[in-house]
Amino acid sequence: MKTKLLAVSLIFSLISAVLFYSGTTSADTPSVYNAEQSYGIANEAMFYLRVLKSDGTASSTGTGIILSPAGTAATAYHVVKGAERMEGVMADGSIISPIKVTKFDELKDVAVLELPSPAAMKQKGNAYAYLPLRKDVLKHGEAVFALGYPLKNTAIITEGIVNTPAAEINGRSRILTSAQVASGMSGGPLLDTHGQLAGIISGSLRTMNNIHLVVNMEDLRSLLPANFK
């Protein structure tokens, strides 16, 4: 009888261990998203960015990325250089204004923006949709997605790989990617396959066909508060 009870107890323990192990593995493994899913994640967390002249017409355009529910955002500095007035056009067509530059680094080509309070802009749940920031450095060959607004009301997504996570370009470290970039996508997100912001689109490399420049997360984080997640 004792032998049977011991055997049953052992089997129960093994089943419990397997279930616990399976649950832990599932919880610790990040989800992997395809292009369609990645677009869905990023679409509401980015906006068409317009730098306005005194007459209300646009002097330059680009893309902005929302980094927090409170309205911290980012873009490429060259998009907003010298800007006095800016507005964002969200995926649903709503206008976000005024937008302010709070910090920037011209050499790194990064600018941190402040959007109006989400309550004032009547955002759902009084919070902006935003992209989580990637903590790990990208790897050679890793799949990535580039997103942005080459045209107003026309967000696009392209797919490619990381050609190199760190290239020295004109004294700056840059991610190089084969994900295609068009004019107007500057400031837009480079997304990894886990739906995390992995870089900010900066431009194209003229000396290499179909290779494009992306600001890395270290350069973005250097302008954010130390406790920013």
Side-chain angles (χ1 to χ4, degrees):
M1 186 66 166
K2 289 183 179 179
T3 304
K4 288 183 178 180
L5 287 174
L6 183 61
V8 170
S9 177
L10 181 59
I11 292 170
F12 179 79
S13 298
L14 288 171
I15 292 172
S16 298
V18 169
L19 289 173
F20 175 79
Y21 179 78
S22 298
T24 303
T25 302
S26 176
D28 292 346
T29 303
S31 300
V32 176
Y33 302 109
N34 60 26
E36 181 182 359
Q37 294 165 326
S38 296
Y39 179 84
I41 290 169
N43 189 40
E44 293 185 359
M46 64 180 187
F47 52 90
Y48 178 67
L49 181 59
R50 289 163 41 95
V51 176
L52 304 174
K53 300 177 183 177
S54 56
D55 62 1
T57 59
S59 60
S60 67
T61 62
T63 303
I65 315 158
I66 304 175
L67 309 178
S68 79
T72 302
T75 191
Y77 175 69
H78 74 264
V79 174
V80 297
K81 183 177 181 178
E84 295 182 3
R85 239 180 5 121
M86 293 177 289
E87 68 178 19
V89 183
M90 303 297 288
D92 62 3
S94 60
I95 305 296
I96 301 295
S97 178
I99 296 175
K100 300 176 182 178
V101 175
T102 57
K103 282 191 174 183
F104 67 88
D105 188 311
E106 186 169 7
L107 180 62
K108 294 175 180 176
D109 196 27
V110 187
V112 176
L113 310 175
E114 180 185 338
L115 308 186
S117 73
M121 294 293 101
K122 299 180 179 179
Q123 295 296 299
K124 185 186 297 184
N126 290 333
Y128 288 103
Y130 68 98
L131 289 177
L133 309 187
R134 178 178 169 122
K135 295 179 181 179
D136 300 331
V137 175
L138 288 168
K139 299 175 183 177
H140 283 85
E142 191 169 344
V144 286
F145 304 101
L147 297 99
Y149 280 93
L151 297 169
K152 182 181 178 181
N153 301 325
T154 309
I156 69 169
I157 182 170
T158 64
E159 185 173 4
I161 63 168
V162 175
N163 301 111
T164 181
E168 196 71 20
I169 307 292
N170 297 326
R172 302 171 296 186
S173 179
R174 286 287 181 263
I175 298 165
L176 300 186
T177 180
S178 63
Q180 290 299 299
V181 170
S183 178
M185 292 175 70
S186 290
L190 186 77
L191 225 59
D192 66 14
T193 55
H194 305 302
Q196 300 173 320
L197 179 65
I200 298 174
I201 297 168
S202 180
S204 298
L205 193 59
R206 296 178 181 177
T207 56
M208 296 183 190
N209 290 333
N210 301 319
I211 301 295
H212 307 280
L213 305 172
V214 178
V215 177
N216 61 43
M217 294 305 296
E218 182 180 351
D219 285 348
L220 171 59
R221 287 184 184 278
S222 69
L223 299 181
L224 296 171
N227 61 349
F228 198 93
K229 295 182 180 180

